[in-house]
Amino acid sequence: MFGFVVRRLISALLVLFVISVAVVALFTYGPSDPADAMCPEPKCTAERQDAIREALNLEAPIYVQYGEYMSGIVNGREIAFGSESYDCDAPCFGVSFIYRVNVWDDIKDRIGPTVSVAVGAGVTILLIGVPIGMFAARRRGSSADKAVIGATLVIESIPYYLFVLLAFLYLAVGAGIFPQDGYQPLTDSPLKWAWALLLPWLALGLVNSSKYARFTRGSMIEAFNEDYVRTARSKGLPERTIVNKHALRAAVVPIVTIFGLDFGALLTGTIFTEKIFGINGLGLRALDAVGQSDLPVIEATTLISAVIIVITNLVVDLFYSVLDPRVRLS
């Protein structure tokens, strides 16, 4: 197990290294000129933009720029924009071109809302999708099974942003069942935090749980046909024990793998949800930064999202190895 964990940690660090190099390279060599994005013409003359490029050290080799960026994250650094200079405390992801503030100070309070939406939606997906899939698998071929499969296909055919928008308009704005206040910090009131996010969780959970119901159904049916399940039935074990202890443990392995990938997509794909429900999350800030060509914010949000996704996948890999010990030997 120790060797498996070490291999996964090394792989995760290599992935983060490649992503961080790519992020820094895109900042320098991407289609948008950082000097022009910070001070576009005719506001700034060509001489002024050249001074900004020199201050940002954009002419230096990529490995020098990468070293400065990583050093700033750990130790902080001083960033000069021509005649202007800013003290950027660690972790320093740069200074916003638009607001002239430390990027970390700008986005750190937005990580919590995004993670809250993603975690709550992920739990909702599993709580809805897995039991429904188990229900359908135990009644394979019945009218209830066919109704479940049909309903999941209908729900999955609806674009998630449309489903979320309709849920907000009808249940929050129209009926007033759910609040429209946006995000409430968990530290202020856990109850208000959960109540404010309940509708986003339910909307995202219902849309994405449909495929988990089908995945669970297929995996459970396959597990029911295994020899060890038939042996358990022949020994007279209770059906609940057979389903929950034997069949479900085998069926949940591929579900965990899929959930790890989907959870990363939830973390980076909640932009529409944050926009519709007025949640000031990381995705919404990244969207605004793209519209404003605020490159340091784009750079930081991309890197932070990558770190969260890599850590999530690492946890999923470790959990996967616990469920299926054969993975440790692969």
Side-chain angles (χ1 to χ4, degrees):
M1 183 65 179
F2 177 76
F4 176 81
V5 173
V6 170
R7 291 196 302 271
R8 286 295 182 268
L9 284 174
I10 294 175
S11 299
L13 291 175
L14 288 175
V15 170
L16 289 177
F17 171 73
V18 172
I19 292 174
S20 61
V21 171
V23 166
V24 174
L26 286 174
F27 177 83
T28 305
Y29 304 112
S32 181
D33 182 7
D36 185 62
M38 178 186 173
C39 193
E41 296 180 351
K43 180 181 177 181
C44 284
T45 62
E47 291 78 10
R48 170 66 172 164
Q49 290 185 350
D50 289 339
I52 293 175
R53 292 189 188 94
E54 183 178 356
L56 293 175
N57 203 20
L58 297 178
E59 303 300 329
I62 184 63
Y63 63 86
V64 174
Q65 297 185 49
Y66 180 80
E68 291 178 352
Y69 190 78
M70 291 295 110
S71 176
I73 294 177
V74 177
N75 303 313
R77 55 178 171 149
E78 183 177 347
I79 298 179
F81 294 154
S83 60
E84 303 174 2
S85 180
Y86 298 88
D87 289 326
C88 186
D89 297 328
C92 176
F93 292 92
V95 173
S96 169
F97 287 170
I98 306 299
Y99 302 108
R100 297 295 197 271
V101 295
N102 187 333
V103 170
W104 176 248
D105 293 335
D106 184 30
I107 66 176
K108 65 181 179 181
D109 293 332
R110 298 173 180 265
I111 298 176
T114 296
V115 173
S116 297
V117 172
V119 171
V123 172
T124 306
I125 289 170
L126 296 179
L127 290 179
I128 295 175
V130 173
I132 290 177
M134 293 173 60
F135 172 84
R138 295 180 65 180
R139 292 159 179 81
R140 180 184 181 186
S142 66
S143 299
D145 179 30
K146 295 176 182 177
V148 167
I149 297 302
T152 58
L153 291 174
V154 170
I155 293 175
E156 194 169 356
S157 66
I158 304 174
Y160 105 90
Y161 55 86
L162 178 60
F163 189 92
V164 171
L165 178 60
L166 292 176
F168 176 74
L169 291 177
Y170 282 101
L171 299 179
V173 177
I177 300 175
F178 295 94
Q180 306 177 40
D181 300 335
Y183 179 76
Q184 299 291 330
L186 175 62
T187 53
D188 291 351
S189 172
L191 185 60
K192 290 182 178 179
W193 168 80
W195 178 241
L197 293 175
L198 182 59
L199 184 56
W201 289 344
L202 290 175
L204 283 172
L206 284 172
V207 170
N208 292 282
S209 64
S210 57
K211 66 178 180 181
Y212 280 85
R214 296 201 310 277
F215 288 149
T216 304
R217 176 185 177 275
S219 297
M220 290 291 291
I221 290 174
E222 184 178 349
F224 285 151
N225 293 326
E226 295 291 340
D227 291 339
Y228 62 87
V229 173
R230 288 197 290 264
T231 302
R233 281 203 173 101
S234 66
K235 289 182 177 180
L237 292 179
E239 186 68 16
R240 178 177 297 180
T241 302
I242 295 172
V243 172
N244 296 331
K245 184 176 181 180
H246 298 284
L248 182 59
R249 179 168 183 177
V252 80
V253 172
I255 296 172
V256 169
T257 305
I258 298 168
F259 180 74
L261 299 174
D262 285 350
F263 185 74
L266 280 175
L267 285 169
T268 57
T270 59
I271 296 175
F272 291 108
T273 306
E274 293 173 2
K275 186 71 174 178
I276 292 171
F277 288 97
I279 300 172
N280 291 321
L282 196 63
L284 188 59
R285 181 66 186 95
L287 182 64
D288 293 338
V290 170
Q292 298 167 338
S293 295
D294 200 346
L295 297 181
V297 176
I298 299 173
E299 193 176 15
T301 52
T302 302
L303 190 57
I304 292 173
S305 298
V307 170
I308 295 174
I309 292 173
V310 169
I311 292 175
T312 301
N313 288 332
L314 178 62
V315 172
V316 168
D317 283 343
L318 297 179
F319 187 57
Y320 192 98
S321 69
V322 173
L323 293 174
D324 189 354
R326 293 172 299 178
V327 175
R328 306 173 200 169
L329 303 177
S330 60

